[in-house]
């Protein structure tokens, strides 16, 4: 859930800005522990992301997009597998390409 805003840079180029927050269910069926609890395989976490995307109008119904996204898990989840333990958490970034097709009315 989050806000988004589109800025029209030129007649054929838009900049989309967005932010998002979400709660997530984590399922690790083969984990021996989760959040420090033995024999637990379900937990939760939350994430927040922000994105910026350029969208080029190629025609009335077709757009091409290029975007960047950055985010972070807001709650780390520790887990164990047999004799090893690790943690799921931290920040990430990604880039993406898209094609948007809008059906005619």
């Amino acid at each position: 859930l989050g806000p988004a805003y589109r800025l029209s840079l030129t007649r054929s180029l838009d900049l989309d800005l967005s932010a998002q927050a979400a709660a997530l269910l984590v399922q690790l069926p083969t984990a021996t522990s989760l959040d420090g609890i033995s024999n637990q395989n379900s937990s939760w976490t939350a994430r927040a992301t922000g994105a910026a995307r350029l969208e080029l109008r190629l025609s009335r119904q077709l757009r091409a997009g290029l975007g960047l996204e950055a985010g972070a898990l807001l709650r780390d989840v520790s887990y164990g597998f047999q004799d090893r333990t690790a943690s799921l958490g931290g920040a990430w970034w990604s880039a993406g390409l898209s094609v948007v097709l809008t059906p005619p009315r």
Side-chain angles (χ1 to χ4, degrees):
L1 182 63
Y5 188 73
R6 175 170 283 170
L7 298 163
S8 188
L9 302 177
T10 68
R11 290 184 61 201
S12 62
L13 186 64
D14 294 332
L15 175 64
D16 291 346
L17 303 171
S18 64
Q20 183 181 47
L24 307 167
L25 178 63
V26 177
Q27 298 256 328
L28 298 172
T30 59
T32 55
S33 69
L34 195 57
D35 281 338
I37 303 170
S38 295
N39 299 319
Q40 179 74 20
N41 63 10
S42 298
S43 186
W44 70 277
T45 187
R47 71 174 182 175
T49 60
R53 293 179 188 88
L54 287 172
E55 281 196 356
L56 178 63
R57 286 188 206 112
L58 301 174
S59 71
R60 190 173 186 129
Q61 281 98 19
L62 186 64
R63 294 174 178 247
L66 171 66
L68 296 175
E69 180 178 278
L73 287 181
L74 304 176
R75 178 181 181 273
D76 288 355
V77 177
S78 61
Y79 59 92
F81 286 102
Q82 296 168 355
D83 60 348
R84 297 179 313 208
T85 60
S87 180
L88 178 65
W92 75 87
W93 69 270
S94 65
L97 297 173
S98 63
V99 175
V100 180
L101 178 62
T102 306
R105 294 183 194 187

